[in-house]
Each structure stands twice: as structure tokens, then as C-alpha cells.
Amino acid sequence: MLSQSHRLWLWMSRGAGIALVGFVALFALDAFDGSPLREAVPGFLIHLIPAAVVAVVVLLAWRWPWIGAAGFAALAIAYAVSVARLDW
């Protein structure tokens, strides 16, 4: 049986993961910048790829928490590497 604090931490992390998916998906709406819908939908779908990747990690973490920890760590490292290559 899970303790009350363990259950609270479990659901807080799941809620944070779902909120992160929603936050990242929100940026996909940038594809609708006044262009016709037919031209904006492919861009919208491409912009949803990062949210889909995070959603897959959240879904895997729901069943296997250690995969979620490794997945979020890998996403953080991938983001840090991609940002480090930018020429500021």
C-alpha cells in the first residue's frame, strides 16, 4: 500500500508532466499566423512533434517511473546540447 505522501508525489509528477505537454503544445499554435488553414496545418503538426515526444515519455513514466526519470533526463540533456550549439 502506498503512503499518502508517496501517492501525492506520484500524482504531482504526473500532473506536472501533463502540464508540460500542454505548455509545449501551446507553442504549436504559432503556426496559425494568418496564413490559410491549408498551409498552416502541416506546420502545426510539425510544431507538435516536441509535445508528442514529451507525451510519450509521460505515458511511459505512468507505468514505469524509472523510464520516465531516464526519459526526462535524456530530453534535458538533448535540449542543453542543442542550445549550447547556438551562436549567441
Side-chain angles (χ1 to χ4, degrees), residues 59-86:
L59 288 175
L60 289 173
W62 204 285
R63 176 69 173 100
W64 301 286
W66 63 274
I67 291 179
F72 278 112
L75 289 175
I77 290 169
Y79 175 73
V81 168
S82 69
V83 170
R85 287 187 284 164
L86 293 177

Side-chain angles (χ1 to χ4, degrees), residues 14-46:
R14 289 174 177 173
I18 292 169
L20 180 63
V21 170
F23 180 70
V24 173
L26 185 66
F27 290 106
L29 294 174
D30 188 41
F32 299 106
D33 57 355
S35 58
L37 185 65
R38 185 178 203 151
E39 295 174 7
V41 169
F44 177 69
L45 294 175
I46 288 172

